[in-house]
Amino acid sequence: MQSFSTFKLTQKMGVMLIIFALLSANFVAVGTVSQKYCLFNKYVAATKNDEQWFKHTQVYNMVAFAPDDVQSFHVTVNGLWNGFFANNLSSPFAFGRYLESLFSGATYESDEEFVETQHEQGLLVPGTILTTQGHYSFQGDKLEEYACRSINDELCYWDKNAESYWMNALNDEFIDWCIQHGKKAIDAGADLIVLDEVQGSGFIPMYQWASQYINWLNAPGFSNCTTEKFRNYLADKYNSSELQQLFNIDNLSNYDLRVRIAQTMYLTYVERVAMDPLNREYFTFLEVGNFQAKKRLIQELKKYAKKT
């Protein structure tokens, strides 16, 4: 609980953007709401087998409420941040399970048991995938392999107090991990999937700039994976004469892109682009790469949900 509060209440940079990947063949929510799962909110009409809950008014909260508060506020989707790390669980419902145990004293042997209990209480259940923030309780021995790196090849804290780290959305194997994590939620009966920190690599320029003011923040964006993908991006877009003319790069295959990018990382976005045109390419590469990675994640989960 302490680590979650520290992250959410003290993190001063960036705006958390949440995308709801509502699952089915039409990229909407799984299943329908039956009379068995009639919701607390009396204004929700979706109580028949042939009605889909996402077509009706729902009341969402971010952090799961206790049962009395759920009823008081007519909450129907309890805990969009269900999947934050807690209690050393590698689960897309880890934080929700932790809070529910505090509220009720119940313990859950599996994600399926947690989801079933929430359904019996008339609630829709979100599973959450952290798409930028990692933790050893989630990725285990693979965390360092999936993580972003600083210019000095160090791991980069996302939140030092929470002992969470920047994960590299441009690393295909990390996105594979996210896909498997999402499949856990679908298998357990989640009604929707929440992708948190979806900007991913798009955050990197801001964090590079901010790292000069935060002594524990190692600026991300310099892993071998990121550097080599940026090199390939430039090679696909420009020929050798264009690279020399536009960016003063004579031999791309041997050029030290990490040092070049790091030279301006303490400047603002506008200042960096004005000082070195290569930065605009770097920023675009980060944004496009992150978009493609999250698109693949959503498409794979849609495909999997359709089969189940």
Side-chain angles (χ1 to χ4, degrees), residues 231-290:
R231 195 183 310 278
N232 293 336
Y233 170 88
L234 292 173
D236 290 341
K237 188 172 181 179
Y238 299 103
N239 60 39
S240 57
S241 61
E242 289 171 331
L243 287 168
Q244 202 287 324
Q245 182 180 6
L246 295 172
F247 310 115
N248 198 28
I249 296 176
D250 291 324
N251 187 344
L252 180 61
S253 62
N254 295 325
Y255 193 81
D256 196 337
L257 293 168
R258 287 159 50 101
V259 170
R260 175 78 172 265
I261 295 300
Q263 286 174 347
T264 59
M265 70 177 179
Y266 294 149
L267 301 178
T268 66
Y269 187 101
V270 173
E271 290 170 338
R272 292 180 75 174
V273 171
M275 180 168 287
D276 186 347
L278 185 63
N279 283 320
R280 184 183 295 277
E281 297 296 328
Y282 177 64
F283 299 155
T284 301
F285 156 75
L286 294 174
E287 293 278 1
V288 172
N290 180 72

Side-chain angles (χ1 to χ4, degrees), residues 20-32 52-55 186 190-193 298-308:
F20 300 97
L22 302 179
L23 303 174
S24 80
N26 296 316
F27 197 35
V28 292
V30 172
T32 59
Q52 297 170 311
W53 65 262
F54 52 87
K55 293 182 178 179
I186 296 169
D191 299 290
L192 66 156
I193 302 294
I298 292 170
Q299 288 176 333
E300 289 298 320
L301 292 181
K302 283 177 61 180
K303 186 189 308 181
Y304 186 76
K306 185 177 179 180
K307 294 177 181 178
T308 59

Side-chain angles (χ1 to χ4, degrees), residues 169 175 286-297 299:
I175 297 301
L286 294 174
E287 293 278 1
V288 172
N290 180 72
F291 173 82
Q292 295 295 344
K294 303 304 168 59
K295 180 180 178 181
R296 180 167 76 91
L297 169 58
Q299 288 176 333

